[in-house]
Structure formats: structure tokens, C-alpha cells
Amino acid sequence: QPILNGLLQNKAHFLIPAEKVANVQVDNNLNHAFLMLTKIHYARIPVLANDSKFVGLISLAMITEAMMGKDDFDLNRINALTVGDVCERDVPTVENPYDIELILHLLVDNPFLPVVSSEGDFTGIVTRREVMKSVNYLVHN
Amino acid sequence: QPILNGLLQNKAHFLIPAEKVANVQVDNNLNHAFLMLTKIHYARIPVLANDSKFVGLISLAMITEAMMGKDDFDLNRINALTVGDVCERDVPTVENPYDIELILHLLVDNPFLPVVSSEGDFTGIVTRREVMKSVNYLVHN
Ligand SMILES: Nc1ncnc2c1ncn2[C@@H]1O[C@@H]2COP(=O)(O)O[C@H]3[C@@H](O)[C@H](n4cnc5c(N)ncnc54)O[C@@H]3COP(=O)(O)O[C@H]2[C@H]1O
Ligand SMILES: Nc1ncnc2c1ncn2[C@@H]1O[C@@H]2COP(=O)(O)O[C@H]3[C@@H](O)[C@H](n4cnc5c(N)ncnc54)O[C@@H]3COP(=O)(O)O[C@H]2[C@H]1O
């Protein structure tokens, strides 16, 4: 299994640590998340509670959907909402140390995976980019 | 090179044909793209001219950025704009038949690649998901 062995050697490089991952808090006003996601251009970012517990993911589309009426958009519709009101909570996560075969399987349908400790603490993310980098390296060497 | 051979066998399955790819036209009003991207939840979609020529990519963040003033958002700021005013035009594309090693290299930094003929016609996209699916299959078999 040359691919698996190659990826296993790179495994330690896959985790992007929590301090490098843009995130918002579950009780933040939705306007704050709207501004942040507009500025940083990441499609989806993690939502945390009390600074470190993983809650879910949020994207711009989840926010603009909350602005939609029957045939118009209204920015005021999100003034009274929080990140927790619109974020997606049912997302797959993995624990550290993670199993490479599980990561490869889950990354087929998810652009990245939140890495969460058994107590629910957010420790970072594993992204498709890091795996693609490894595959690209293995093919060229 | 077992990985490359494995991926080469799957190569024909990587292309998602143009008729299955959500897109907007370069001269569409920006409000139309705003509504579409809110409903379909894809992070970025292709922008075409005259139905079939590839122009670039557009995301919700590019639209909400055009709504931003110094310290507020105003939906009216995009009423007079078109998709062509905000879309990103400098994106890597590949031609059919594409080279797998080039695809793997470009997919490290791009979630998908538009496939464009030598006359500039949009023929579809190659996504990381399809490559991840192949890698996942090769590891498990
Ligand atoms: N500022 C930037 N600098 C360099 N490359 C950039 C970039 N923004 C996007 N990309 C490239 O585009 C890919 C898709 O980004 P997207 O924002 O849709 O989707 C991202 C985003 O939703 C999330 N993500 C990645 N890094 C993040 C971070 N530091 N903080 C929060 N979320 C992150 O994970 C998804 C997959 O990331 P991945 O790296 O595999 O894949 C990224 C990366 O290859
Ligand atoms: N409606 C849906 N059904 C099933 N899975 C879904 C989905 N929407 C998103 N996903 C999953 O999430 C990944 C990231 O989607 P995203 O919209 O950020 O980023 C997407 C999107 O910007 C674009 N894309 C993919 N398929 C598209 C299509 N049919 N039309 C337009 N754009 C498409 O290519 C990027 C990479 O796509 P990829 O398939 O590798 O990866 C997709 C796919 O694994």
C-alpha cells in the first residue's frame, strides 16, 4: 500500500492548529459574522462556544438566506439574530490522533474536518489541500 | 507509480460536464447572482459570456464586498452592478484532454478547475471531490 504509507508519513503535517483557524463565537451577533466572512473570503469557518468548544460551521450563504423574504433581501432581518441561530451543527468531526483512512473517507464529501478532543475542545482542522499536497508529492517522487 | 496509474484509470470520470454546473452570465445583474448563490450554497461558480465562453468565477463574498461602505452594508450599492463588475477573472483553467499530473498540481491550491476548450468554450469542471474519491478508492483496494 504505497499510497497509504506515503500519506501516513505526512500525517503529522495535516493538522492546521486552532490558533491559525478563523472562527466566530456562537453568541456573536450575525452582523459580526457577516462582516468577517466578507473580509476573509473563506467559504465556511468553525463556530465555537466559550472560546474553545466546537459547535458547528457557518458560511455566508447561511447568513444571506436568513436575510431573504418572499421576494427581497433585508439586512435588518439579521440584526436580532446570533451565529447560533443559523449555523450548521450536524457536521462530521475527528479526534486527534486521527486515522488516515477515516480522514480520506470523510474528505470525499467535506472540504475540511474539524478536529475535536473527547471533551469537545476545538484543536484545529484537517483540509483537503494538505492531503492534495501529499498526493501531489507522492506522484511526483 | 501505482497512484498515478490508478488515477489515470479513473481520469475519464473526473469531468463534471457543463450542463451539470451551476453558472451565471457576465452581463447578469448582480442581484440575480446574489439570489442564486444564496439558494444553491456552492461557494464559487463559473461566469460565462454568450452562454458558453468561460470568463471567470464568482462567490458570495465578492458580492457582499461590493455592498460594503466604510462602516455599513447597503444592498442598493449592487443594483447598478453586473456580475462582470465583481467576478474574478484570473483563474487557472485546463484543456480537455487534460494531463493528470497538471490537475493534481493545480488542485492543491484550487477547489476545482474549469475545463475550457482552445476556443474558450466552457466544457465542465474537475473537482477535488472526484480526485479524493479516486484516492480513497485506491487506498481501500
Ligand atoms: N486565504 C487563502 N490562502 C490560501 N489559499 C486559500 C485561501 N483561501 C482559500 N484558499 C484555497 O481555496 C481552497 C478553498 O477554500 P474555501 O474557503 O472554499 O474552503 C476552506 C475554508 O472553508 C476552510 N479553511 C481553510 N483554512 C482555514 C482557516 N485558516 N481558517 C478558517 N477556515 C479555513 O477549509 C476549506 C478548505 O480549505 P483548503 O485549504 O483545503 O482549500 C482552500 C485553499 O486551497
Ligand atoms: N449540493 C451539494 N451536493 C453534494 N456535495 C456538495 C454540495 N455542495 C457542496 N458539496 C460538497 O462540499 C464541497 C465543497 O463545496 P463548495 O461549494 O465549497 O465548492 C465547490 C463549488 O464551488 C464548485 N462546484 C462543485 N460542483 C458544482 C456544480 N455542479 N456547479 C457549480 N459549482 C460546483 O466546486 C467546488 C468543489 O466541489 P467539490 O465537489 O470538490 O466539493 C464539494 C462537495 O464535496
Side-chain angles (χ1 to χ4, degrees):
Chain A
Q1 260 303 1
I3 315 175
L4 198 53
N5 293 339
L7 290 172
L8 279 170
Q9 277 159 18
N10 276 326
K11 187 173 134 174
H13 306 307
F14 290 158
L15 181 74
I16 296 176
E19 54 275 17
K20 287 198 178 152
V21 179
N23 65 69
V24 285
Q25 299 293 312
V26 67
D27 54 5
N28 280 158
N29 184 302
L30 209 49
N31 281 312
H32 167 72
F34 185 59
L35 184 69
M36 181 146 177
L37 284 164
T38 296
K39 289 204 164 152
I40 60 172
H41 281 257
Y42 282 127
R44 297 163 192 85
I45 62 173
V47 173
L48 307 182
N50 311 326
D51 255 345
S52 67
K53 298 280 185 232
F54 180 75
V55 172
L57 300 178
I58 191 161
S59 69
L60 265 176
M62 293 173 209
I63 300 172
T64 58
E65 205 163 48
M67 290 178 187
M68 259 171 71
K70 213 167 112 288
D71 54 3
D72 72 332
F73 282 89
D74 181 357
L75 283 157
N76 296 321
R77 287 202 181 94
I78 64 168
N79 286 346
L81 295 175
T82 66
V83 166
D85 292 330
V86 301
C87 70
E88 186 185 350
R89 292 172 190 252
D90 178 22
V91 285
T93 63
V94 289
E95 264 188 58
N96 221 346
Y98 36 79
D99 163 29
I100 282 290
E101 290 200 40
L102 175 63
I103 296 276
L104 290 177
H105 172 67
L106 290 175
L107 285 178
V108 169
D109 285 319
N110 299 282
F112 69 98
L113 300 168
V115 181
V116 180
S117 76
S118 48
E119 290 90 49
D121 289 310
F122 178 65
T123 57
I125 61 173
V126 170
T127 63
R128 280 178 176 167
R129 178 171 186 276
E130 295 312 307
V131 173
M132 294 301 297
K133 242 166 72 179
S134 275
V135 170
N136 193 48
Y137 176 79
L138 292 172
V139 163
H140 286 95
N141 290 286
Chain B
Q1 261 301 3
I3 313 176
L4 199 53
N5 293 338
L7 290 172
L8 278 169
Q9 278 159 18
N10 276 325
K11 186 173 136 170
H13 306 308
F14 289 159
L15 181 73
I16 296 177
E19 54 275 16
K20 286 198 181 152
V21 179
N23 65 68
V24 285
Q25 298 292 315
V26 67
D27 53 4
N28 278 159
N29 183 303
L30 209 50
N31 280 312
H32 166 72
F34 186 59
L35 184 68
M36 180 139 172
L37 283 164
T38 297
K39 289 202 163 156
I40 60 172
H41 281 256
Y42 282 126
R44 297 163 192 84
I45 62 173
V47 173
L48 307 181
N50 311 328
D51 254 342
S52 68
K53 298 280 184 230
F54 181 75
V55 173
L57 300 178
I58 192 161
S59 69
L60 265 177
M62 293 173 207
I63 299 173
T64 58
E65 201 162 56
M67 289 177 188
M68 260 169 70
K70 218 172 104 286
D71 55 2
D72 73 333
F73 282 91
D74 181 354
L75 283 157
N76 296 321
R77 287 201 181 94
I78 65 168
N79 286 347
L81 297 175
T82 65
V83 165
D85 292 330
V86 300
C87 70
E88 185 185 351
R89 293 173 191 251
D90 178 20
V91 286
T93 63
V94 290
E95 261 187 62
N96 221 349
Y98 36 78
D99 164 26
I100 282 289
E101 290 200 42
L102 176 63
I103 296 275
L104 290 177
H105 171 66
L106 291 176
L107 285 178
V108 169
D109 285 320
N110 299 283
F112 70 98
L113 300 167
V115 181
V116 180
S117 76
S118 48
E119 289 90 47
D121 288 309
F122 178 65
T123 56
I125 62 173
V126 171
T127 63
R128 279 179 178 167
R129 178 171 185 277
E130 295 312 309
V131 173
M132 293 301 297
K133 242 167 65 178
S134 273
V135 170
N136 192 49
Y137 175 80
L138 291 172
V139 162
H140 286 96
N141 290 288

